[in-house]
Amino acid sequence: MASKNQILKLSQFFLSQKSTRTVPLLTKPSQIPPTPASPESPDVPTWLRESKNPELAGNNDNDFVIPSLANWVENHNLVNENNDLNHLIFEADVSDVDKAAEILNKHYPSTDSVVQALNECSFNATNTLISQLLERFSNDWIPAFGAFIWAKNQTGYVHPPELYNSMVDILGRRKKFNLMWELLKEMENLEGYVSLFTMSKVMRRLARAGKYEDAVDAFRGIEKYGVSKDLKALNIVMDTLVKEGSVEYAYSVFMEFKDCIPVDLSSFNILIHGYCKARKLEDAKETMNEMEKHGFHPNVVSYTCFIELYCRLKDFRNVKATLDEMQEKGCKPNVITYTIVMLALGKANQINEALEFYEIMKRNGCVPDSSCYSSLIFILSQSGRLKDAWNVFEDMKKQGVSRNLLTYNTMISCACTHLEEENAIKLLQRMEEDSCKPDIKTYAPLLKMCCRKKRMKVLKFLLSHMFKNNVSIELSTYTLLVRGLCKSGKLDYACSVYEETVLKGMVPKYDTYKMLVQELEQRNMIEAKEKIEKLMFQAEEPQL
């Protein structure tokens, strides 16, 4: 445990004047990896500077692939130059998953038509097949639910509870709540299928849609599904309401059930977090007082909620005051506390102070985790010290910390921000080699960079790579693509992506629609403009 002097130094740190010296990283950086190019040395990449290939000297960015990555891209056999961005089909792998995905990629008006299409195929329903299809089409409920119904009707096949949970979540995500409740009723008739995990999915999707009262009603009626209405369930519904933006409903549930379900420290911390998230400082303080009256002492989670609020307000004096109080109460900051403060200092452009705080953390015996390293990488990159960010990234394993999804996502985002195209895509390749599965946040900065640099062939490859990794494209990604392609003048592609968005039942943002229509009008692409206008009317609820 850190000594009182160490904690005192930690708190006094916030009272010191802004340092003018550069604070080195604690660990001696490893050798700079050969591929990354620091913004401090903005040379043209070697593969381009030394190339004599006349094709690289031209302006045909559409089909351009960085030579060092060409084999990896081509070997995946994911790109067909004659395809639009939609309906991306894999030609090399003919597994049942890919065969079924090719069928589901077509647009169907109903789940019945999906079932009919799958009935005409010869492959068998398996847990693995349906699991991957639900993951791959998690943002496209018609093919997902159609595949789910088709499999359920196959002789000798029974969905396990996990797949029912996945389908409940998909329907809730797309706000198909009537179907979600019907499926839940079906699960009720299958012994042991409805669990607290199932109900947490239901409550979270309702709350995310702003149906807070419905989420609370789901908790009230949880026992009819054979799920205990206990402290764990209470804390889950409260946490759900807080995370989805209604600490008021969380407090209401707390007050309604606290006499029949004994609350604990976590219950109070959830409310404190909710009030701090909503910037209701006095309510958070009052909740902490109530917590102490109930015999619970504030812990590191309680104090960290306040520190996080003060950091968002850039009120580092009160951060210091809270650290002082922690010292007085003998409550030691943890790695989450340190990371929150370090990141806030970095975002406030107090880079030296952020790095000094990182050193204090290590001197106090708190071991950085992957989230801490990811924040450090982000801070260094944002300050233009990309070379140091790479050093931290490469040094993690030597420090006994594995690079996880968050770390890769952070480093990829940093490389894309600095337009280090080769390094960014090589990181995706390294993820594949390290068996680290990418998610939608991995691809978003890569897609944005490809739009900006007009790399259409690489863009198609990335979209296919997403599909192959069962990463379902959501509305925000479609929006990113349409806007990015518009800015790059690739209006045919932008129209294709916009059409795909609507055909998948999503409602594009009005500003995205307006941007595309204006660009088409300026280019005198009248027929395409009229088609986009019809698509906007076709969308369910235009968001004006």
Side-chain angles (χ1 to χ4, degrees), residues 256-317:
E256 181 179 346
F257 291 97
K258 67 182 180 68
D259 292 332
C260 57
I261 302 177
V263 295
D264 64 358
L265 178 62
S266 294
S267 310
F268 285 100
N269 278 338
I270 290 168
L271 290 177
I272 292 171
H273 169 64
Y275 284 125
C276 287
K277 182 181 177 184
R279 302 193 178 191
K280 296 185 175 182
L281 183 58
E282 293 306 314
D283 288 328
K285 289 180 177 179
E286 185 177 338
T287 302
M288 184 175 278
N289 290 334
E290 283 296 315
M291 177 171 66
E292 292 184 286
K293 288 178 183 178
H294 279 74
F296 300 112
H297 298 292
N299 63 1
V300 64
V301 175
S302 316
Y303 287 112
T304 300
C305 290
F306 286 95
I307 287 174
E308 185 176 23
L309 171 57
Y310 292 134
C311 283
R312 277 189 286 151
L313 298 173
K314 298 182 182 179
D315 184 358
F316 295 112
R317 185 170 293 275

Side-chain angles (χ1 to χ4, degrees), residues 480-534:
L480 179 155
L481 287 169
V482 173
R483 297 182 70 85
L485 291 166
C486 276
K487 291 177 181 178
S488 299
K490 301 293 183 181
L491 296 184
D492 288 338
Y493 284 117
C495 290
S496 179
V497 174
Y498 191 93
E499 181 179 10
E500 182 79 358
T501 309
V502 175
L503 292 176
K504 285 185 178 294
M506 301 180 191
V507 183
K509 300 291 185 181
Y510 183 74
D511 58 351
T512 306
Y513 159 76
K514 196 71 176 177
M515 179 183 188
L516 179 55
V517 167
Q518 287 176 349
E519 290 290 333
L520 292 170
E521 191 170 7
Q522 289 175 9
R523 296 282 190 90
N524 201 31
M525 298 172 67
I526 304 303
E527 186 177 341
K529 174 177 173 287
E530 291 175 351
K531 184 176 182 180
I532 295 300
E533 288 172 340
K534 289 179 181 178

